[in-house]
Amino acid sequence: MVVEKPKPKRAIAGTPSRTALADAVTKTPDLLEQELPASLALQVNAEIDAVLLKYQQDWIADDSDLKVAEKSRRVGLTWAEAADNVLIASKSRQAGGMNVYYIGYNMDMAIEYIEACAMWARVFNEIAEEVEEGQEVFKDGDDEKAIKTYTIRFASGFRIVALSSRPANLRGKQGVVVIDEAAFHGALDELLKAALALLIWGGKVRVISTHDGDQNPFNELVNEIRAGNRKGSVHRITFKEAVEQGLFGRVCMRKGVPWDEAAQVKWVADVYAFYGSAAEEELDVVPSQGTGAWLSSALVEARMFAAPVLRYTAPKGFEQRPDAERHAVIQEWLDLEVAPLLEALDSDLDSFYGQDFGRTGDLTVMVPSQVDQGLRRRVPFLLELRNMPHRQQEQIAKFLISRLPRFRKGAVDGRGNGHAVSEFLAQEFGYNRIELVMASETWYREHMPPLKKAFEDDTIAIPRDKDVLTDLRSIKVIKGVARVPERSTGKDGGQRHGDAGIAIALMHYASRQDIEVIDYRRIIPTNNGRSGAITRGAGWRNKEGIW
């Protein structure tokens, strides 16, 4: 790929300068140079002289009224779609220009897309205004829904509009509709009906997504087109195919490092290892059987931040050691590793707690959180315990909870063997503060949707960790209810059963409960030898604490 830097063209009002796509992708100005440095082009992909890779070019070249892409995660297809959308919106009506409406399922997707469009508009030297941030009203019968939008207006009179959430319908709209990560939209069937109605008057529909189960409406759409029951085209882009066509080379160019075959092999292996059991669906474009992943990897990763996950695996036979020895070993770990994290918490914020129980098979996961001024649940760290005796689990939980600033409520797994530990905690901190949760299908049905909404609304932040991601991704929709159906293997080689995912759900549930806060003091007699008669004055003292 040889990048020539053309002389800047002077835009004349009303006469936008346009560059054909074939030229634009090989002769690019400084903005694209920042994305893909030309100085590294020959070191990376000597045989690929275009900015867009083959699968991206194939996608843009397909002018079908309805086209669908079932794809791997993060292969840059939306980035390529943005290039095509800019060319469409910048054309005159006579040349086939029209409006473009981009529909993602959250604001982050809308912002990323509109930024890509703004870049391509400058690359193609099209006359366009700055990105506008505003609202657009979508009517559904008597109801109206105002959706935040990001808009670029072109000299052609057409515009690109990125919506921050799904509209109830597209009545009154005309043009190209792009539905991104379609499999993860609620009520996708209704959205597709509204979008496909635009085809009647010459519009076009582009549906892009990774898979979310073989029973998802997105997969049904793919199968309908493949079976010939619906007119349209399907593009399938796996991660390995994208790598073969130069994806890792583009990653090297973005990072400013030379391409190396050994580095590519390692990178691919690392990506597959990161996705774990979800790789088949997320990377190989194979929809999971009989169910759908409840949360997309992209959504979970967007809510992760750099925070520690402390893991402690008790050695075999640890439960047979004397009580005092076990207590001392764990106390040393708590003092050295856990206490500093607790001391760093904000003393002015309310704290909450969630815990999923495990003993010899699954993990015990402890999840503290603090709620900030913007009502965001921030998990400062997680504890994962494997093969930990009951008494030491009680010891650790009491140590943690008693040091949480302004502790309000905890929700603890009270099923099976976990009942004993959860009961000890409730007796220590009060049954009004520690709720013993017997998770059932009804509980999952009522309390998992608010957790998903927290991820979508960016009101939760969790540690960035592969196993935590895998646990959340293991939650599937089974008969309409989100729950954990299968086990996986974690970083430490032990089995997992969505443990961190359930503990996070319990924490979020606890944080949503109405809690009556009472200021209280614990009164302790200094002389236990006194009679039981009520007395006043000397002999009593006050000590703050939990009563």
Side-chain angles (χ1 to χ4, degrees), residues 79-277:
W79 190 70
E81 176 66 24
D84 193 27
N85 297 158
V86 167
L87 293 173
I88 291 173
S90 63
K91 292 179 182 177
S92 66
R93 188 179 302 276
Q94 293 76 11
M98 61 184 85
N99 292 327
V100 177
Y101 296 93
Y102 171 88
I103 305 173
Y105 58 76
N106 62 33
M107 188 179 300
D108 291 340
M109 294 176 68
I111 293 173
E112 183 177 359
Y113 166 80
I114 207 69
E115 287 177 346
C117 288
M119 184 209 74
W120 284 115
R122 292 191 287 270
V123 167
F124 295 154
N125 206 14
E126 295 293 352
I127 295 178
E129 299 177 5
E130 295 297 321
V131 175
E132 300 174 2
E133 182 177 330
Q135 287 188 337
E136 192 155 338
V137 176
F138 291 81
K139 294 185 178 181
D140 185 16
D142 295 332
D143 297 330
E144 292 186 352
K145 181 180 181 180
I147 296 178
K148 191 170 187 177
T149 61
Y150 299 91
T151 304
I152 299 177
R153 300 180 186 275
F154 292 84
S156 63
F158 295 113
R159 59 197 176 118
I160 294 177
V161 182
L163 309 180
S164 61
S165 62
R166 184 186 66 84
N169 62 68
L170 294 167
R171 190 176 296 118
K173 311 299 179 186
Q174 189 58 39
V176 176
V177 176
V178 181
I179 305 175
D180 201 1
E181 290 298 352
F184 303 94
H185 282 265
L188 177 60
D189 289 337
E190 296 301 317
L191 180 58
L192 283 172
K193 288 179 183 178
L196 293 173
L198 274 63
L199 298 178
I200 298 174
W201 288 92
K204 295 181 182 296
V205 177
R206 282 77 177 92
V207 185
I208 302 170
S209 190
T210 48
H211 273 292
D212 188 30
D214 62 356
Q215 297 178 17
N216 189 282
F218 171 72
N219 189 54
E220 293 174 359
L221 173 65
V222 170
N223 290 335
E224 282 184 4
I225 296 174
R226 285 205 170 111
N229 297 329
R230 187 190 291 269
K231 185 178 180 181
S233 64
V234 175
H235 295 244
R236 186 173 186 269
I237 306 162
T238 69
F239 183 75
K240 290 180 179 177
E241 289 170 342
V243 172
E244 290 172 358
Q245 294 179 33
L247 178 62
F248 182 65
R250 294 297 187 256
V251 172
C252 291
M253 293 173 72
R254 287 288 298 272
K255 294 171 66 177
V257 299
W259 177 88
D260 178 80
E261 184 174 0
Q264 176 171 297
V265 171
K266 182 180 184 302
W267 180 73
V268 171
D270 288 345
V271 171
Y272 271 86
F274 181 79
Y275 279 97
S277 59

Side-chain angles (χ1 to χ4, degrees), residues 74 159 187 195 197 200 254 257 262 302 332 353 368 427 477 492 541 546:
R74 306 301 291 180
R159 59 197 176 118
I200 298 174
R254 287 288 298 272
V257 299
E332 181 180 15
Y353 178 78
Q427 291 168 347
V477 178
D492 59 0
R541 63 184 176 86
I546 297 175

Side-chain angles (χ1 to χ4, degrees), residues 318-319 321-324 326-327 330 334 357 359 366 385 388-399 420-421 424-425:
F318 186 64
E319 70 278 4
R321 297 183 186 179
D323 288 349
R326 293 198 313 272
H327 187 279
I330 296 302
L334 290 171
F357 178 84
R359 177 58 183 92
M366 299 177 176
L385 313 175
M388 187 65 67
H390 290 74
R391 288 184 179 176
Q392 272 51 67
Q393 293 198 32
E394 176 190 359
Q395 176 187 354
I396 295 169
K398 287 182 177 180
F399 182 91
V421 174
F424 295 153
L425 297 179

